[in-house]
Amino acid sequence: MAPATPSTHSAISLNINGEKHTLSVDHRTTLLDALRERLDMTGTKKGCDQGQCGACTVLLDGRRAVSCLQLAVAAEGREIATIEGMAAGGQLHPVQQAFLDLDGYQCGYCTPGQICSAIAVIEEHAAGWPSAVTDDVRPEAGPPPLSADEIRERMSGNLCRCGAYVSIVEAVARGAAETQAVTSADLPQSQSRELTGRTQESRAA
């Protein structure tokens, strides 16, 4: 008797923007295609489909990931955040608002990926992660000023065919300042002063 042919499909449960979604997928299905084609979450865009343009960027457990290179089955059990989940209670995320206020887009196709990436960039910077242009990479040095050069380097994986980079850099800087202001309001006074000082350094850089 011939052995049973292994199934090429699995039922998986994805935690997306705080909600559980159960679906059956081919094992080769990317997270990008599962989001767009199976769950109708079309905010995440398909650009190059090769992991080079950043249009499909989402957050996996708070870190940036290009969803076109991530298998849906491998995302089970992880916290997935897409552009649809960035606003809270009808209030735009500070980075979203900054992109609107400063025209950080033209056609808008790359914008969801830019915003997701920018939100992660701000978290990475606040945690003290250095970039290729950071002068002092010692852990005790803390986060460097979030200068335009730092933002350009950290956002370099997200391409904009319209060339709205100047406004994107400005939007990320403002979004970072607003995010830090919101965060510092919830911290003890000593920590709040420290964050405020870093924000002022970033604006002056």
Side-chain angles (χ1 to χ4, degrees):
M1 183 176 179
T5 303
S7 173
T8 60
H9 288 69
S10 290
I12 61 173
S13 179
L14 299 178
N15 186 5
I16 306 170
N17 301 324
E19 295 185 6
K20 294 285 187 181
H21 300 266
T22 301
L23 64 161
S24 177
V25 297
D26 186 293
H27 295 162
R28 299 164 294 180
T29 302
T30 65
L31 178 58
L32 173 61
D33 285 339
L35 290 170
R36 290 183 57 84
E37 307 299 334
R38 301 297 306 281
L39 298 174
D40 200 29
M41 295 185 181
T42 55
T44 305
K45 303 304 182 187
K46 178 177 284 194
C48 66
D49 212 22
Q50 297 178 350
Q52 296 180 358
C53 73
C56 67
T57 301
V58 298
L59 303 185
L60 288 179
D61 297 330
R63 295 191 178 184
R64 292 180 280 177
V66 282
S67 56
C68 70
L69 298 184
Q70 174 78 34
L71 292 176
V73 292
E76 188 170 23
R78 304 182 68 179
E79 297 288 335
I80 305 166
T82 70
I83 190 65
E84 289 90 348
M86 295 304 164
Q91 184 78 23
L92 292 178
H93 188 282
V95 173
Q96 290 177 299
Q97 190 63 56
F99 267 75
L100 285 173
D101 294 342
L102 298 172
D103 293 330
Y105 54 87
Q106 287 187 36
C107 77
Y109 195 82
C110 73
T111 306
Q114 298 274 3
I115 289 173
C116 287
S117 189
I119 290 171
V121 160
I122 293 168
E123 293 282 343
E124 293 162 9
H125 172 262
W129 293 15
S131 78
V133 299
T134 301
D135 291 329
D136 191 344
V137 298
R138 295 175 302 161
E140 59 268 25
L146 195 57
S147 64
D149 284 343
E150 282 282 351
I151 293 172
R152 291 188 192 101
E153 172 61 29
R154 293 168 186 265
M155 291 290 294
S156 60
N158 291 79
L159 304 181
C160 173
R161 292 186 64 182
C162 299
Y165 294 113
V166 173
S167 295
I168 289 171
V169 170
E170 292 176 352
V172 175
R174 180 181 290 185
E178 295 295 331
T179 299
Q180 289 174 345
V182 170
T183 301
S184 63
D186 297 328
L187 293 175
Q189 189 173 6
S190 60
Q191 291 177 283
S192 178
R193 283 197 298 268
E194 181 182 356
L195 276 174
T196 301
R198 291 176 186 170
T199 300
Q200 292 171 344
E201 290 177 1
S202 298
R203 287 172 173 171

